[in-house]
Amino acid sequence: MLRSSFAVRPTALAVVVLAAAALAVPAFATRSRAAATAVTVTATEFHFRLSRTSAPHGAVTFTLVNKGKLAHDFKIGGKKTALIGPGKRAKVTVTLRRGKFAYVCTVAGHAAAGMKGSFTSR
């Protein structure tokens, strides 16, 4: 009798561990496939207006909308959009850790004229 109770315990423990693992896997998979946070960046001469100035850390998609009369781009986190003309749009997705990230227009003179700022990833 003593021997059979020891045999049941490891089996019961294995069932509990497997059940917990089965419940944890879908939750982990859902978090890893979370959609990127969307931020709209409106460009004019010589200013950027962001729809939000902070977002949770992780993937962030910036959509640049050029409402100015000159070509602009948007650079953040080591990535940048294409140079786009008036009335055009471009997207860039970056994965940001927690912290502050500088953004700029890389067209000569545009950042110095005011097309720059800081985005916070929390």
Side-chain angles (χ1 to χ4, degrees):
M1 182 96 142
L2 185 61
R3 179 173 266 182
S4 66
S5 67
F6 283 117
V8 171
R9 283 188 181 171
T11 305
L13 179 61
V15 169
V16 170
V17 169
L18 290 174
L23 293 174
V25 169
F28 176 75
T30 301
R31 274 185 255 134
S32 67
R33 284 189 240 129
T37 301
V39 178
T40 301
V41 180
T42 304
T44 57
E45 283 75 45
F46 290 96
H47 179 73
F48 282 127
R49 189 181 85 243
L50 279 65
S51 61
R52 57 191 300 172
T53 57
S54 69
H57 68 284
V60 181
T61 298
F62 294 92
T63 301
L64 175 64
V65 179
N66 188 349
K67 292 195 175 181
K69 295 182 183 197
L70 301 173
H72 298 292
D73 63 13
F74 182 80
K75 181 177 180 182
I76 188 168
K79 292 187 177 183
K80 72 176 191 168
T81 65
L83 182 64
I84 61 169
K88 302 294 182 183
R89 294 174 173 260
K91 288 185 180 191
V92 64
T93 299
V94 294
T95 301
L96 302 175
R97 64 187 188 289
R98 288 184 170 112
K100 291 191 181 243
F101 296 86
Y103 59 81
V104 298
C105 178
T106 67
V107 175
H110 286 204
M115 294 191 81
K116 61 185 176 181
S118 179
F119 185 83
T120 303
S121 179
R122 54 187 196 289

